[in-house]
Structure formats: structure tokens, C-alpha cells
Amino acid sequence: MERDTMPVDVLLVGAGPANLACAYRLAQVLQEKGKLDEHVIMIVEKGREVGDHILSGAIMDPKAMSELFGDDWRAQGCPVDADVAEESVFTLTATKARKMAFIPPPLKNHGNVIVSLSHVVRWMKEKVEAFGDAIMIAEEQPAADVLLDGERVTGARLVDRGREKDGAEGAAFEPGADIEARITVLGEGSRGSLTKILVDKLGLGGTNPQVYGTGVKEIWDIPEGRVTAGTVWHTAGWPLPDTTYGGSWMYAMSDSRVSVGFVTALDGGDPGCDPFEIMQRWKTHPQLRTLLDGGTLVKSGSKTVPEGGWWSRPKSFGDGFLIVGDSGSLLNIARLKGIHTALRSGMIAGEVIAEALLADDTSAGVLERYEERLRASWVKDELWRVRNWRQIFSAKGFKKGKLFAGLAWALGGKILKDPVPIHDDAQSVSPGDASAGRDFKVEEGLTIDKVTGVFHAGSIHEENQPSHLLIADTDLCASRCAEEYGNPCERFCPAAVYEMVDGAMQINFSNCVHCKTCDIADPYGVITWTVPEDNGGPRYLGM
Ligand code: SF4
């Protein structure tokens, strides 16, 4: 098959905060050296527009923004919804919300800001574009594979387009171009599909496997007078059992608009774990019911969160490549924050790439400086202190975990064993019947079903294309999986993509919101998420 090729100096896969920070800092350094015009930098983004596939809570620690853009980053136009004002942490039972007397140190948010990350990356895109033609931001360009020459990454292959539903080449078939790059930066976010391929092929996995939670978020407009802009709640407890890590948030973006969401860990063992339903149940708690009553759901969405932290980091560099941000497991789960670490990792990557280009050496020997400087930065300090956080909760359960993780935090991160091990999410699923005892009913005006959630995510895919969700053995769905687990994919997918119909698996791929839960939580490892060829997916602008 003849493919077009395009040579660039640097290819960044994914236009999230880490890669946009990388591109900005790289361009800045090259410009200072008078060398920007001699290099070609390209960002490829699978969404229709930058920000479309970006979903986060989000409270941002602004220190990395100041480091990247200067202390006046807000005056430069970066969109911020509110400064964090009053903050509270609650423990929930089914009927009560008990306010904690103090805020656990990792959850203190004084000085931080409430943002829509999709708006922030849109603004960052403009900052990057201000460097002119040396940087190309190519939207609607999903990267489907990594190009390798031995152990050297040599770029990425864009998705083939124009296949029919059955996979055959249609009349308008076009093979995806090969973008050949001297350095490729993987900043795809949580469970990046190219990062997964590369980690598997080159054996780059960390000390621990990565573990994830699935977050479900909604934005609501509510009557004024219930919260003030900047109010922050976090909750633990109901409706999760003690065996499952997770919790919720409510961030007041204004006096009448709130971001609410719930993150459920995927290693709780229950084959019927349904993060979307857990979010809906949580909304029926009296605390949330009172808040949302008479309000209007504006948007909804889901994504996974890489929770493993320091010991789950894949090797971050090699010949011709770097891995940044969430793809590199740099999220601080104790603080529920990863934007600042993603930005900082991107900045460090940008500086190291500039040095590599100027020295005309893109080997691992030079790119290793990224890892060295990450370890010398506050990113390491922050993540090192909570390096066993998530594993402790997994080992001890939520109630005891709070005590042990708090103790480990006070001791600088070390407790009993170091590192504390953890199991892969898929291996944690216990045999059982995923469909047993599910009795949740939608309550109009408060809770929604998954298809309504897809509508509010704005997610759509062209129907006449092959499914981008691959199941290696669909016979397994009707036989072993049905018997041993009761088809957990019908539960864990927040978008009702997987449906057993008359004993056979039906994949409603058009609903997919690209959260990646299925790629992680399927107990047999037969589901693979790949990029769709039509640039489909959610429309998360404002989320
Ligand atoms: Fe998420 Fe997979 Fe469902 Fe898509 S199909 S919404 S990636 S769980």
C-alpha cells in the first residue's frame, strides 16, 4: 500500500496540556536561539477541534501556568471560572453528609482555581499558534500506530480512512500518512492508545501496573443562592462500598453553574461495577438533590484517570521519543490533580527537545535528560510523597486506607513495603454475575440514563465505518464471559456501547465517548480501543 509521508522534526501526539506546554516551551527556546524557523513541529489531535476530547474536574494548581507563561498568565487571557473559596470534605452515608472538622492536607485547595480544562487548552492553542508557521496544529488527525525502526521511534501513522463497515476499502479509501519525526512526544492523556502500543512493544512498563478510575462528570445550571462561585466539596463513602476507592466533587464555577462528578476505581472487584450508575446514585443523596433540584443538566461526559502514580510510570524516554503528562502517569491522585504536573512535564520535555535538536542528537542518551530533570523537579517531590497512596487503599480498603495513606503521607511516602504492589484492574475483577440485583431507576429532572449521557456529551461517529472497538473473540462474550462474569462490559461502559442482544454481542460504537474503560477493565483483555477513522467522539468544550 502506497502511503504519503511527511517529515517533521518533532511530532506531538495529542493536544492536551502536556503537549501544548511542550510545544510552547520548545518554540520559545528555539526562538531565543534564532533557530525556530529551521524546524518543523507538528501536533496531531484526534478531536475535531482542540479541547473537544478534554475532560477534567477541574481544580488547577496554577504554579506551572506561572512558570510557563509568567505570573500574569490570567491577565494574558487564560480562562478561569473562579478562585477556590470555601472548601469542605464530607463523609456520606445513604442519608447523611458529615462534614469533616479539617481538610486533609492533600485536598487543601486554597490558592488554586476552578477551570474548564477544555477552555484552557483552547487558549493554550492560541498561544502556541502565535509562534507562526513553525508549529502546525493538525486537528481531526487521529494517530493510529507508532512507527518503529528497531527500538527507535520514528514517528506515527495516521488512521486509514474510507473503509466500509466490514473493513473493506471503499471508493474513497485513503491510507493514513506516515509522519516521520526525529522526536515523537506521546501526550495522549489517560490510557493513550499509542503509548499502550509502545509500552507493550518495547517493554517499558513501570514497577507497578497502571490502575485507573473512571470519572463521570456533569455540568449543571442551578438556581442562584445555593452556592457561591469558588465553593468546593469533596465527598467519600456512599454509594461506594469500602472495597472500592473513589469519591466525588462539586466545584462551583459561578453562583449558578456547578461541575459535579464521581470517580470510581476499577479494581474494586465487583464485576457489576458501573461508574455511570454510581454517579447517578450519588446525585440522589439529599445533599446533591437539594443542590440540583430545579436545575438543568448542561453537559455530561466520562474519562478514565490514571491513579497509579510514581511506581506505575512507564519508562519516559528512549531513542526518538518521550512520554509526558497523564500518559506518563504523572497525576497526583492524593490531590486529585494532574494538570500542573502535565504542564511541568511538557515544559521540561520542550527544553530537552530543543537541546537535542540544537545538538543534532535525538538519541536516548540526550532525551534521558527529560527523566533526570523530571526527577530533579517539584513533580518528583510531589509524586514521591504519595508514591504508595493508591496501593494502600487497594490493600486496606477505604476506611483503613485513609489512616494508613495519611500516615504514609506524614512519613514522606514510605510505609511497610516500598513500593507497595498493586494488581492490574482487569485481574482484580471477581467472578460473579454483573447483571444481578441492578434496580436503579432514572428519576426525571435529576438522574439520567447512559444514552442521555451520550447526548449531553455530544458524542457521535459515522456509522459507515468499521467499529473502532475491537473484540478479539466475540464468541467469548456469549460463552465464558456470560457464565463467569455476566458480561461486565454492559455495566462498566458509561455510554451503553456494549449490549448482549439475543445472546450475541452488539457494539454500538457510535455512542463511544473515548473514556477507555473497556480497554482497561475487560477481564479477558480481548477489547482494544483504537482511534475511529472519522474524527468522531465527544464534544467536551466547556467541560
Ligand atoms: Fe468508554 Fe469503551 Fe464505552 Fe467507549 S466503548 S465509552 S471507550 S468504555
Side-chain angles (χ1 to χ4, degrees):
M1 186 185 294
E2 285 278 314
R3 290 183 187 272
D4 289 338
T5 56
M6 181 189 279
V8 300
D9 292 290
V10 183
L11 173 65
L12 301 107
V13 180
N19 266 354
L20 288 166
C22 177
Y24 185 87
R25 189 71 191 118
L26 168 61
Q28 208 174 33
V29 176
L30 291 177
Q31 194 172 58
E32 282 162 14
K33 305 281 183 194
K35 299 285 185 185
L36 180 57
D37 293 344
E38 295 174 19
H39 296 96
V40 179
I41 303 160
M42 185 178 198
I43 303 176
V44 290
E45 162 58 35
K46 71 183 169 69
R48 297 174 196 92
E49 295 179 72
V50 169
D52 261 1
H53 291 182
I54 295 284
L55 176 75
S56 184
I59 294 180
M60 180 171 73
D61 178 334
K63 66 181 163 188
M65 289 301 263
S66 296
E67 289 170 355
L68 183 56
F69 298 113
D71 288 338
D72 65 341
W73 59 276
R74 284 174 80 163
Q76 292 174 39
C78 181
V80 168
D81 290 296
D83 291 276
V84 172
E86 189 190 330
E87 42 181 332
S88 312
V89 179
F90 298 89
T91 305
L92 301 190
T93 64
T95 54
K96 298 248 173 353
R98 188 172 59 80
K99 187 172 170 176
M100 287 179 69
F102 67 98
I103 308 280
L107 285 180
K108 284 187 178 158
N109 278 299
H110 183 73
N112 297 331
V113 291
I114 297 172
V115 296
S116 155
L117 185 57
S118 59
H119 281 153
V120 172
V121 297
R122 277 277 179 107
W123 175 77
M124 289 179 70
K125 174 193 167 194
E126 289 169 18
K127 300 292 280 184
V128 169
E129 284 176 334
F131 283 101
D133 294 343
I135 305 184
M136 281 180 281
I137 300 182
E139 293 158 322
E140 302 191 309
Q141 297 298 338
D145 205 354
V146 186
L147 300 177
L148 280 166
D149 179 5
E151 300 222 330
R152 166 171 275 276
V153 174
T154 57
R157 174 165 295 168
L158 301 182
V159 72
D160 293 343
R161 298 182 194 269
R163 289 192 191 276
E164 303 288 339
K165 218 172 168 43
D166 62 2
E169 295 175 13
F173 177 75
E174 261 182 65
D178 284 346
I179 313 293
E180 295 173 345
R182 296 167 72 197
I183 300 176
T184 302
V185 188
L186 299 179
E188 307 171 279
S190 182
R191 192 68 163 194
S193 46
L194 267 57
T195 308
K196 180 183 166 193
I197 292 169
L198 187 66
V199 167
D200 286 351
K201 281 194 174 165
L202 299 190
L204 305 177
T207 303
N208 278 341
Q210 184 57 275
V211 291
Y212 298 85
T214 295
V216 181
K217 172 177 174 177
E218 295 175 3
I219 291 182
W220 281 71
D221 282 342
I222 58 170
E224 289 203 16
R226 295 182 185 171
V227 287
T228 52
T231 303
V232 167
W233 300 344
H234 288 112
T235 79
W238 190 86
L240 289 183
D242 189 54
T243 46
T244 303
Y245 184 80
S248 80
W249 77 82
M250 187 291 297
Y251 303 151
M253 302 166 76
S254 73
D255 294 346
S256 58
R257 175 164 285 195
V258 294
S259 156
V260 291
F262 206 107
V263 180
T264 302
L266 298 175
D267 68 346
D270 176 10
C273 174
D274 185 335
F276 186 89
E277 190 178 292
I278 288 165
M279 164 77 179
Q280 301 309 317
R281 282 187 192 274
W282 170 68
K283 281 160 50 188
T284 67
H285 190 278
Q287 186 185 34
L288 269 292
R289 186 183 288 279
T290 308
L291 176 78
L292 301 177
D293 183 42
T296 308
L297 173 63
V298 179
K299 270 186 165 307
S300 167
S302 304
K303 80 176 279 275
T304 50
V305 179
E307 298 184 341
W310 188 261
W311 293 124
S312 297
R313 296 172 62 233
K315 188 179 177 199
S316 65
F317 68 95
D319 285 328
F321 76 90
L322 295 174
I323 303 176
V324 297
D326 274 7
S327 294
S329 191
L330 296 178
L331 181 133
N332 182 339
I333 188 60
R335 294 188 72 201
L336 312 174
K337 283 182 188 54
I339 302 171
H340 64 309
T341 47
L343 290 168
R344 185 69 213 167
S345 74
M347 287 175 69
I348 295 169
E351 290 163 11
V352 170
I353 292 168
E355 290 171 16
L357 294 178
L358 294 172
D360 197 20
D361 182 353
T362 59
S363 68
V366 171
L367 296 181
E368 187 174 10
R369 293 178 199 167
Y370 167 67
E371 176 68 17
E372 290 164 1
R373 289 182 203 170
L374 201 63
R375 285 173 181 265
S377 73
W378 54 255
V379 174
K380 161 83 187 286
D381 295 342
E382 212 184 290
L383 296 182
W384 187 246
R385 188 164 192 177
V386 294
R387 63 193 181 278
N388 290 313
W389 183 272
R390 183 61 184 76
Q391 303 95 294
I392 292 170
F393 280 94
S394 185
K396 300 282 180 195
F398 202 85
K399 285 196 189 101
K400 277 193 198 161
K402 276 192 291 188
L403 296 175
F404 280 83
L407 185 62
W409 188 87
L411 295 172
K414 181 168 167 53
I415 186 163
L416 304 175
K417 286 185 204 162
D418 192 10
V420 177
I422 197 164
H423 289 297
D424 183 71
D425 293 320
Q427 288 171 3
S428 305
V429 185
S430 305
D433 182 0
S435 62
R438 309 301 168 188
D439 54 0
F440 184 75
K441 298 271 186 307
V442 167
E443 193 180 324
E444 204 175 328
L446 181 65
T447 58
I448 56 171
D449 62 21
K450 291 181 178 180
V451 174
T452 307
V454 172
F455 171 76
H456 284 284
S459 197
I460 193 155
H461 293 81
E462 166 63 47
E463 293 282 356
N464 189 29
Q465 64 174 322
S467 168
H468 64 284
L469 299 150
L470 312 180
I471 300 185
D473 179 3
T474 45
D475 291 343
L476 195 95
C477 306
S479 55
R480 271 184 70 198
C481 189
E483 286 159 24
E484 292 176 359
Y485 296 101
N487 298 119
C489 59
E490 289 186 304
R491 303 283 301 161
F492 61 60
C493 171
V497 167
Y498 301 99
E499 251 186 303
M500 291 300 288
V501 179
D502 298 331
M505 177 55 69
Q506 176 175 300
I507 305 175
N508 307 312
F509 67 85
S510 182
N511 286 3
C512 178
V513 295
H514 297 202
C515 75
K516 318 282 182 72
T517 305
C518 52
D519 195 272
I520 297 161
D522 144 36
Y524 300 100
V526 292
I527 301 178
T528 303
W529 187 94
T530 65
V531 285
E533 65 165 53
D534 71 333
N535 325 311
R539 287 275 200 181
Y540 283 152
L541 195 64
M543 287 288 267

